[in-house]
Each structure stands twice: as structure tokens, then as C-alpha cells.
Amino acid sequence: MEKATMSVQELASQLGISLPKAYELVKRPGFPVLRIGTRILIPVDAFREWLSDNATRE
């Protein structure tokens, strides 16, 4: 079964960006996050939709 959420560290790894850049990304308005206490989780399906919607097409 595929995980429903990923951590900020997993997000950084998936996108090939640094951990500080991943934290900048999750603080952007409109970026899909779940905050549970101090923990930040990214719903995988919502992230894929966000990525598709925000990809620039030239």
C-alpha cells in the first residue's frame, strides 16, 4: 500500500531540492500541507495535483 503522506525530507528528496528549500515551499500559500502539532506532512495526492497545476508549460 502506498503512503498517503510524505515528510518534508521526503519531499526534498523527491524534488531533488535542499531541505531548506523544501521548508520554504511548504510555507507558500496554497501548498498542500497537514500540520499535526509541530509535524508537517504533505498529502501525496494533493501534492501531485499541486505539482501538475503549478508546472509551467512553454
Side-chain angles (χ1 to χ4, degrees), residues 29-49:
F31 189 84
V33 295
L34 292 172
R35 295 183 190 274
I36 302 172
T38 60
R39 190 139 188 233
I40 299 171
L41 296 172
I42 297 97
V44 174
D45 290 340
F47 166 69
R48 287 182 181 146
E49 185 177 327

Side-chain angles (χ1 to χ4, degrees), residues 3 5-28 31-35 39-51:
K3 289 174 48 171
T5 62
M6 66 177 134
S7 67
V8 178
Q9 292 82 0
E10 291 170 318
L11 174 68
S13 177
Q14 285 229 338
L15 292 177
I17 61 175
S18 68
L19 191 55
K21 284 291 180 190
Y23 276 105
E24 281 182 33
L25 185 59
V26 299
K27 291 177 184 175
R28 282 189 183 176
F31 189 84
V33 295
L34 292 172
R35 295 183 190 274
R39 190 139 188 233
I40 299 171
L41 296 172
I42 297 97
V44 174
D45 290 340
F47 166 69
R48 287 182 181 146
E49 185 177 327
W50 177 89
L51 188 60

